[in-house]
Amino acid sequence: MNILISQGEQKVNQAIATHFHQRGETPVLLFTDRDKHLEFMLDQPGQETVFCEKYEEEVLDAVIVEVFGDQGVEVLIHGNEMVDEEKKLEEDPFLLDELIRGYLYRIFLLNKVVVRQMIKPKRGKLYSPYSMTLFTMQGMLALQF
């Protein structure tokens, strides 16, 4: 199964990848921070990873094709972001708003790229974090088609 997990920098997302790896799957962690990517590759040489320099549609599309080829992604897991929302809200509410909008845009963009590849075989699964209030309650929303 071709599994892509975003936000590879976060330990919780690395734990998700480890879970699938232990089940015999080969998940790929998507990193956007070069230093954290290199550090993780040295610590976990058996775990598949990919680095994406820019979170742009064309770049993401090229990275996914490079890693998964014509088979594409079968399961996309939007990894959780780890942010202290309460602290950010106290410090600068407008910055928190901007931060959340950025997270949601990255989820939208990655969905757009991956779902476009899932349409031809008419199969795929998406898992996304969702929240009740400002990402305070973490969870997973599953979409399957």
Side-chain angles (χ1 to χ4, degrees):
M1 185 173 356
N2 292 336
I3 303 169
L4 178 64
I5 304 170
S6 67
Q7 309 305 326
E9 295 83 0
Q10 302 296 329
K11 296 288 185 196
V12 66
N13 304 326
Q14 294 169 11
I16 293 169
T18 299
H19 168 76
F20 281 106
H21 199 263
Q22 290 171 344
R23 290 180 48 198
E25 303 292 347
T26 308
V28 177
L29 281 165
L30 175 65
F31 284 79
T32 56
D33 181 306
R34 185 178 302 280
D35 293 335
K36 289 183 180 180
H37 179 235
L38 293 173
E39 180 182 326
F40 182 81
M41 286 180 12
L42 292 172
D43 290 344
Q44 303 286 326
Q47 175 61 56
E48 294 288 327
T49 64
V50 65
F51 174 73
C52 184
E53 183 106 25
K54 295 180 181 177
Y55 227 85
E56 296 174 351
E57 187 172 347
E58 296 80 20
V59 176
L60 285 168
D61 201 38
V63 165
I64 290 169
V65 168
E66 178 184 326
V67 173
F68 296 104
D70 292 337
Q71 295 177 355
V73 176
E74 295 173 89
V75 176
L76 170 61
I77 300 173
H78 289 288
N80 288 312
E81 294 278 351
M82 305 308 284
V83 176
D84 186 345
E85 299 92 359
E86 191 173 327
K87 181 179 176 185
K88 295 271 187 211
L89 184 62
E90 287 176 17
E91 291 173 357
D92 187 348
F94 295 109
L95 182 62
L96 178 61
D97 178 63
E98 193 173 301
L99 187 69
I100 290 172
R101 287 176 192 265
Y103 292 156
L104 292 174
Y105 179 73
R106 286 195 299 273
I107 289 171
F108 163 77
L109 194 59
L110 193 53
N111 273 349
K112 182 178 180 182
V113 170
V114 171
V115 169
R116 190 170 42 227
Q117 295 176 2
M118 290 177 172
I119 288 174
K120 286 182 184 178
K122 296 182 182 174
R123 66 185 165 105
K125 297 177 184 177
L126 307 174
Y127 296 93
S128 299
Y130 70 92
S131 71
M132 299 299 285
T133 56
L134 299 177
F135 294 117
T136 303
M137 310 247 335
Q138 295 292 333
M140 297 295 280
L141 171 65
L143 303 174
Q144 184 173 341
F145 54 96

